[in-house]
Every structure is written in C-alpha cells, then in structure tokens.
Amino acid sequence: MTPIAERVHELAAAADSALPCASEVARLSGPDELALLGELSALRRRVDASIALVASDIERKSAHELGADSLARKAGVRSGAELVQKATGSSLGDAKKAVRVGVMLETAEAVAPVAASDIGSEPRSIDVLSALGGDWSAPIAVATRNGWLSAEIGDRILGGLGKPRDDASTPAYRAAVLRLIADCWEGELTPEDAARTAKALRAVLDRDWAQQNATRLYERRSLKRSVRGDGMVKYDLLVDPLTDAQIWTPIFRHLSPRLGGPRFMTDEERARAEELQQDARSNEQLLADAFTAFLIAGVTASGVFGKYTPTVTIAVTTGDLKNAITADRARQTSAPPGDGPPPAGIAWLDGKPEPLTGAQLITALCDGSIAGVLLDETGQALDATKAERTFSTRQRRAMAIRDGGCLMPGCPLPPDATEAHHVNPWGESPQNHTTETKDGISLCRFHHLNLHNMGGRIERRVSTYWLHWPGKEPTRLVPKHALIAQLRTEGELT
Ligand SMILES: [Zn+2]
Ligand SMILES: [Zn+2]
C-alpha cells in the first residue's frame, strides 16, 4: 500500500468509529442535528475534493493520445470518466463532473497554493480573487477550492460561460466572472440561478455564440407521433424557447391559478380562479385540454388551410345514431325512456379501431366541424350531416366573440379555444331550416363533451342562455366579453 493509501485507510477507520449511528442521531436536538449536518457536509466536501483530484488525474492519464498506455484503454473502457464511474459507483454524469472539478482544483493550486489546513479559514473576498494571477477562470477555481463557492456552483458557472473565443475577449470574461461570484454571494444564488446567469452572460460576451446557439436550438425542433397499443397517441414535441413562449404564455395565463401563477386582482378574476381551483381535472388533463383546444380551434378557423381544411369524418349506423340521440335526450330529461336505457350507441373514426361513445359522436356533430356519415345495416351510405344544422366559420367566430370564451362558469379558455354547441336538441330541425348564431353557444372542447355526457341542456331566453344541469336550479351563463357587459350596463340587453 502506498503511503497516501495508508493515510486514507487510517482516516476511514477513524471515520468508522467517529460517525454516528441512527439511535445517536435520533437523540439529538434540532440545532445539534443541524450543526452535525454542517460538520458532515464539510467533511464530505473535503473527500469530494480529493476524489475530484484523482478523477482529473485519471482522465489525463487516459488521454487518447497515450495509445496503449492510456489507463482507460488498459481497463477496457472508453474514457477516464468511465473508469472513475466504475471505481466510485457513481453515475457517468457525476464522474464527468468530478473530472471537471478536479481540473478546477488543480488550477487553484497552481494559481494560489495554500496548505490544506488553511482552506476555509480565510474570509471570502473579491479583492483576493481580483488580485490572482492565472487565466480568466482562476477566480472560480480558487473560490471553489477555498469553499467560497460550492463545487456545484463553480462547475455550473464554468459550464454556462463556456470559453473565450480569443485572447481579446479574455479580460471581459474575467471581469464577468468576478461580478458573477459577487452576485452569488450577495444573492445567495442556487446552482440553477448561477447557471442561468452564466449562460446569459455568455451570450453578452460572445455574440457569435448567441446567434449560433439560438439557431442550433431552433434546428433541433421536432414532433414525434406514435400510436400505442391501447389506441392512445403520444406526441413528443420539442420546441425552441421562442416557440415555447408563444405556446405556453397564453396557456399558462389561462390556467394560472392551478399552475402557481400570480394571484388575480379583480373580484371577477378571483371568482374564476376559485372555480378553476375546484375543477376536478388533474393539472395534466387541464393542460392537455387547453393545448388541444387551441390546436383544434386553430385548424378549424379559416386561414390555416384555406378552403381545403381537411375534414374529419365519423361513420355511424342508423341504429347507433338513433340510440345515441335517444340516450342524449334521456340524459337531458334525466328520465330513462320506456323500457330502460337503450343500448349505448357507438361510432367510428376513419382508420381507427377504437370506437367513440354516443356522447362523443353527438358532441362532434353538434359543433359541425366534423362530418358524420350515416350507413344503413347493409353498409350503404345514406346521408351526411345536414348542412342547415352546422354553423359557418364566420358564425362560429361571431359566437366566440359574443361569448368571450367558454361560457361555462370558471372556465378560463378564450374564444380561440372554443367550439359551438347547438342549443336546439339534435334531431329537432329549426323551423326556418337555417342556423343562426343565436342557436349556438361557445364551449371549450371539454365542457362541450361534459355537457352531453352529463345530460346538461342549454336554454335560450331571448338573448340570455341558461344551463339546466340534472338536479340543479338553472343558472344563467354570463358572457365574458367586455362589450356584452357594456351593452347590459347601458340597458340594451335584458
Ligand atoms: Zn353540443
Ligand atoms: Zn370550458
């Protein structure tokens, strides 16, 4: 055994007898426990520092250029970090970090050597760091070695800043590093904060990198769609920061109280937030509903695909359609028809083996953006959904603006994310065979389906709409558009 190994072996034996067991820890008071944690962490940092020094040395002795003499190659692994990973039992990421921290500590020793026993005794000082020799990163190395920055923060700062492109930019990097260290101390930055700030600084110090980085991120955008065995479809979407801001900002704003956003200021906003808090959907379900509602509404709205908006069709047999309509009406009157509930209607999307429920069918046909195709028992196509029941794109937009978003109380979704619900029950043709905007209201996809599923009904009284929910008093649906509030205040509307 080498003298170093012998020393460390003795240390480990001493540690074994010194380190506490569970029952000793349990007897400690709170403050004593915290003090112990501090001591142990300091010990761990010293051990981690030694591991890092060994790791960086192993990495150096594993360089590719060494050929057959490379330590890694002799051990049959690809890199020094992999060798460290095996020896320490850590993750490869941690092993690489140990190598990087080791390099930092070597730098510190070269720039400002101190005895190991002095480390941590000197008070932290920007002046000391400013006076150091060495390259631009020396202040980070020395601050980390002295315990003035955690190894995690030192490593994240170096990673975030990257390297100066040329000698001319080195002084600017050094000044930025010193400012950043001062920020870490004053602002008690977390490693994540420090990494973010360092990355932002890099963009300022190196404009070319900033351009290339933004382009690189944009180039990595991708969307993968995979159909799973159970019929669910997985979308794996990767977007650049700008696209994310455009997608996420409106969604976050509308679901804000559930996602931990800022508190609302007005009574109306607070009331809506309150209702959203009570929504039984999980945050993931709410997000999925909002995200898909925006997408679907965007496709349906004119402009994106022009005249050639691809239409989704749902095929259904006459028998199933009848069952679905009967069930829809039965839910609305909350009285089972004659001989108990009819068999549940089902319907089919093109190319999908998973059936839709009768309620999904009725909801889709109600909005009119999905075409229904009716087939008789022999498979003969009889009819497509009648045109007079469906709303035109212009009518849908007018309705959406009139309602100011989904009309369900507490629903945060804006006009762009709604579809149309036909107020007249399915199968009851309007007298004049034309559909007017007053025949419909705007509901988000979720609340529309929920209305049909739960047997809710909408009643129009002149220019107001009332929600009839089974077992509840009718409630008036209050439009969310400010213009409607103005007209009501001015007495134009009843
Ligand atoms: Zn509907
Ligand atoms: Zn809604």
Side-chain angles (χ1 to χ4, degrees):
M1 208 185 261
T2 63
I4 300 178
E6 223 162 275
R7 257 158 47 204
V8 174
H9 186 76
E10 275 168 30
L11 179 66
D16 277 343
S17 56
L19 294 175
C21 62
S23 56
E24 283 178 303
V25 171
R27 282 197 295 274
L28 288 177
S29 70
D32 287 346
E33 213 163 346
L34 286 176
L36 175 64
L37 203 55
E39 286 292 337
L40 287 170
S41 302
L43 178 64
R44 182 170 69 186
R45 277 199 296 275
R46 302 290 285 273
V47 175
D48 281 346
S50 294
I51 290 177
L53 283 174
V54 178
S56 60
D57 198 60
I58 287 179
E59 173 75 5
R60 194 172 19 257
K61 289 173 180 161
S62 299
H64 277 298
E65 303 82 70
L66 295 174
D69 288 334
S70 149
L71 271 185
R73 204 161 139 189
K74 279 187 199 160
V77 295
R78 270 185 299 264
S79 67
E82 219 172 296
L83 202 51
V84 172
Q85 180 200 7
K86 278 191 151 179
T88 56
S90 64
S91 70
L92 186 59
D94 282 346
K96 285 180 176 168
K97 193 167 101 188
V99 170
R100 293 194 301 266
V101 171
V103 172
M104 248 197 300
L105 298 177
E106 287 167 1
T107 306
E109 210 168 306
V111 175
V114 289
S117 56
D118 288 339
I119 292 173
S121 59
E122 215 182 327
R124 66 191 192 187
S125 150
I126 286 292
D127 291 338
V128 168
L129 296 177
S130 310
L132 291 170
D135 76 350
W136 65 276
S137 67
I140 302 174
V142 171
T144 304
R145 191 268 317 269
N146 289 6
W148 298 348
L149 282 181
S150 73
E152 180 74 27
I153 289 187
D155 184 49
R156 296 282 205 110
I157 290 179
L158 279 182
L161 278 176
K163 288 191 172 65
R165 210 170 266 273
D166 46 45
D167 289 346
S169 49
T170 308
Y173 265 74
R174 180 141 183 153
V177 157
L178 288 168
R179 253 196 324 273
L180 189 49
I181 293 174
D183 284 350
C184 285
W185 292 349
E186 284 159 17
E188 294 181 2
L189 299 191
T190 62
E192 289 79 11
D193 290 337
R196 246 195 313 276
T197 312
K199 208 167 162 188
L201 271 178
R202 181 179 192 179
V204 176
L205 292 167
D206 188 345
R207 301 299 168 111
D208 288 344
W209 174 83
Q211 308 292 315
Q212 287 161 8
N213 186 56
T215 311
R216 209 168 26 237
L217 290 181
Y218 179 67
E219 291 303 333
R220 282 176 57 200
R221 70 197 184 279
S222 90
L223 175 63
K224 290 187 197 124
R225 173 181 178 274
S226 51
V227 182
R228 309 198 317 184
D230 58 3
M232 291 295 279
V233 183
K234 184 171 192 229
Y235 284 88
D236 206 342
L237 178 64
L238 202 59
V239 294
D240 65 294
L242 173 61
T243 309
D244 173 62
Q246 288 172 300
I247 298 175
W248 184 242
T249 307
I251 292 180
F252 181 77
R253 207 189 110 84
H254 287 295
L255 303 181
S256 181
R258 281 284 291 266
L259 303 177
R263 293 189 176 280
F264 286 117
M265 299 314 289
T266 69
D267 283 346
E268 190 193 344
E269 283 175 336
R270 263 195 293 274
R272 264 178 65 190
E274 181 63 30
E275 298 202 48
L276 189 60
Q277 293 288 13
Q278 320 249 315
D279 197 302
R281 285 174 283 174
S282 71
N283 278 0
E284 288 75 19
Q285 286 174 328
L286 271 172
L287 269 176
D289 287 345
F291 193 81
T292 49
F294 278 115
L295 261 179
I296 293 164
V299 171
T300 313
S302 70
V304 183
F305 291 99
K307 263 195 245 174
Y308 304 102
T309 304
T311 318
V312 177
T313 53
I314 299 179
V316 62
T317 68
T318 43
D320 273 318
L321 179 61
K322 218 175 109 207
N323 288 338
I325 292 171
T326 313
D328 194 52
R329 283 195 180 140
R331 281 192 294 267
Q332 284 181 13
T333 54
S334 52
D339 318 311
I346 54 169
W348 304 94
L349 278 167
D350 293 348
K352 297 265 190 192
E354 298 84 15
L356 302 180
T357 67
Q360 281 177 319
L361 169 75
I362 298 288
T363 312
L365 296 180
C366 187
D367 174 48
S369 60
I370 290 185
V373 175
L374 202 55
L375 304 168
D376 69 12
E377 284 69 23
T378 66
Q380 194 62 43
L382 289 179
D383 198 4
T385 41
K386 290 189 181 66
E388 72 260 23
R389 255 195 70 81
T390 62
F391 297 100
S392 71
T393 306
R394 262 174 62 189
Q395 284 177 313
R396 268 207 297 271
R397 195 179 304 136
M399 267 159 45
I401 288 168
R402 177 199 67 196
D403 295 340
C406 174
L407 267 191
M408 279 296 167
C411 183
L413 290 186
D416 285 349
T418 59
E419 49 188 43
H421 167 71
H422 210 296
V423 170
N424 301 315
W426 173 261
E428 209 171 81
S429 334
Q431 308 233 301
N432 54 6
H433 288 276
T434 57
T435 284
E436 300 176 53
T437 50
K438 65 177 164 49
D439 295 329
I441 63 161
S442 312
L443 292 176
C444 74
R445 194 170 181 73
F446 169 78
H447 280 122
H448 190 195
L449 183 60
N450 202 37
L451 181 82
H452 285 281
N453 262 327
M454 306 306 288
R457 186 170 62 82
I458 305 294
E459 179 206 2
R460 182 170 69 81
R461 299 181 191 166
V462 194
S463 59
T464 59
Y465 297 91
W466 294 75
L467 170 67
H468 295 257
W469 202 259
K472 276 192 185 172
E473 286 297 304
T475 40
R476 194 168 74 79
L477 298 176
V478 184
K480 291 160 184 173
H481 200 288
L483 180 72
I484 303 298
Q486 179 202 335
L487 291 173
R488 289 183 60 80
T489 312
E490 291 170 359
E492 301 290 330
L493 289 178
T494 48

